């Protein structure tokens, strides 16, 4: 009877080498609602009111790590939920407000 352990070990090594997936590190920053938009805490940057929709949403999503979700708003405005409690509001293609469970600034969604 032959010893199959060396071959089995090589097969396991080959399979596990292909299955390694490196996790994406979480963003070290957080979004903090502010009077003029959203502060990116820890970076010295902000996502200010007046910014273009695509860039503002992409920036917020890169900080939160969450997929943006559309939210219905009144008056022709569009809302985009960028995390569990933060909704960005756009008038046309311009970032004009935000809402959370605790407050709001700029143009309201309702």
């Amino acid at each position: 009877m032959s010893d199959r352990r060396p071959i089995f070990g090589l097969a396991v090594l080959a399979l596990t080498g292909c299955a390694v997936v490196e996790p994406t590190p979480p963003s070290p920053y957080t979004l903090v609602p502010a009077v003029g938009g959203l502060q990116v805490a820890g970076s010295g940057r902000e996502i200010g009111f007046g910014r273009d929709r695509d860039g503002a949403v992409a920036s917020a999503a890169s900080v939160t790590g969450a997929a943006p979700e559309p939210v219905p708003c009144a008056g022709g405005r569009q809302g985009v939920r960028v995390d569990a409690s933060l909704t960005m509001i756009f008038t046309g293609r311009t970032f004009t407000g935000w809402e959370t469970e605790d407050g709001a600034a700029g143009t309201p969604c309702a």
Side-chain angles (χ1 to χ4, degrees):
M1 186 171 180
S2 68
D3 187 3
R4 296 180 186 208
R5 283 181 284 169
I7 294 173
F8 177 75
L10 289 175
V12 169
L13 180 62
L15 289 175
T16 58
C18 294
V20 174
V21 176
E22 293 296 323
T24 303
S27 171
Y29 307 113
T30 58
L31 293 177
V32 178
V35 174
L38 300 169
Q39 298 292 321
V40 182
S43 75
R45 296 178 300 171
E46 72 173 3
I47 304 169
F49 291 151
R51 191 160 168 192
D52 179 70
R53 176 188 170 103
D54 293 343
V57 170
S59 293
S62 72
V63 172
T64 65
E69 299 176 32
V71 175
C73 288
R77 292 177 292 277
Q78 302 105 23
V80 177
R81 183 168 293 123
V82 293
D83 74 15
S85 63
L86 176 63
T87 299
M88 299 174 77
I89 297 137
F90 297 87
T91 304
R93 298 203 46 82
T94 305
F95 177 39
T96 58
W98 57 259
E99 293 180 348
T100 67
E101 297 167 352
D102 300 323
T107 306
C109 191

